[in-house]
């Protein structure tokens, strides 16, 4: 149970990192491309925050589910977490589509006929792609951190705390 708490905390910190990196990347892309992140006048002020919230929720849910599951082999022995590239790609795809769908839902509430064109416009744009790419990077980093603690038990320790007593 101790490792699950540790893994859940790492998932929460990785999600906070993802959200911070997403907001920064969207701002930098907006400046470099000289266009607004959500440049549709029908979108309103909530489309961008809702898109970021949905993409972040996808990442957090995926990381938390993975953190709370403790893999075992056929004999029931603990296998520890491993780097799963397929899971990372699936979460990246989910955050990519979630970003576009979150913004599309906000537009679809005011005008249902604009939902699909707006969704396609977001999916082919650079901002949803940034959400997916950043998700892939952060999820892989989180998996590497968890896999590096495979043999350790208990809380993380500083090098000077690791005495062979």
């Amino acid at each position: 149970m101790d490792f699950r708490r540790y893994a859940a905390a790492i998932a929460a910190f990785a999600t906070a990192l993802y959200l911070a990196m997403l907001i920064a990347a969207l701002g930098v892309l907006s400046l470099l491309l000289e266009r607004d992140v959500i440049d549709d006048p029908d979108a309103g002020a909530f489309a961008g925050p809702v898109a970021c919230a949905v993409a972040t929720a996808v990442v957090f849910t995926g990381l938390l589910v993975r953190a709370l599951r403790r893999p075992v082999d056929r004999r029931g022995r603990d296998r520890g977490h491993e780097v799963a590239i397929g899971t990372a790609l699936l979460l990246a795809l989910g955050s990519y589509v979630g970003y576009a769908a979150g913004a599309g839902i906000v537009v679809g509430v005011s005008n249902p006929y604009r939902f699909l064109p707006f969704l396609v416009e977001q999916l082919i744009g650079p901002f949803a792609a940034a959400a997916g790419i950043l998700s892939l990077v952060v999820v892989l980093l989180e998996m590497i951190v968890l896999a590096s603690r495979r043999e350790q038990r208990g809380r993380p320790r500083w090098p000077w705390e690791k005495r062979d007593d």
Side-chain angles (χ1 to χ4, degrees):
M1 188 64 179
D2 187 40
F3 185 80
R4 286 185 180 152
R5 283 195 313 240
Y6 171 76
I10 294 296
F13 283 116
T15 303
L17 173 68
Y18 172 72
L19 180 60
M21 287 177 63
L22 178 62
I23 291 170
L26 294 179
V28 168
L29 276 174
S30 176
L31 286 173
L32 290 176
L33 298 175
E34 296 180 357
R35 66 182 255 204
D36 289 332
V37 175
I38 307 287
D39 56 358
D40 192 324
D42 293 337
F46 292 115
V50 169
C52 289
V54 171
T56 304
V58 168
V59 170
F60 180 66
T61 303
L63 290 179
L64 189 64
V65 166
R66 191 170 187 281
L68 296 178
R69 183 183 57 83
R70 188 70 175 166
V72 293
D73 62 8
R74 292 182 182 175
R75 296 182 184 141
R77 291 181 302 194
D78 186 16
R79 256 191 9 206
H81 286 276
E82 298 170 347
V83 177
I85 295 176
T87 302
L89 287 172
L90 187 64
L91 285 176
L93 179 66
S95 63
Y96 166 70
V97 173
Y99 177 88
I105 288 171
V106 173
V107 171
V109 166
S110 64
N111 185 359
Y113 296 110
R114 286 280 302 135
F115 172 75
L116 194 58
F118 184 80
L119 179 71
V120 171
E121 179 184 321
Q122 289 301 306
L123 286 174
I124 62 174
F127 301 108
I133 292 168
L134 286 174
S135 172
L136 179 66
V137 169
V138 169
V139 168
L140 284 174
L141 287 174
E142 188 264 353
M143 289 178 180
I144 290 169
V145 167
L146 285 182
S148 70
R149 291 241 16 239
R150 185 175 185 171
E151 300 299 323
Q152 296 176 357
R153 296 286 180 240
R155 66 178 178 82
R157 297 185 185 275
W158 292 103
W160 58 82
E161 291 180 310
K162 297 177 183 175
R163 295 188 193 127
D164 294 331
D165 293 345

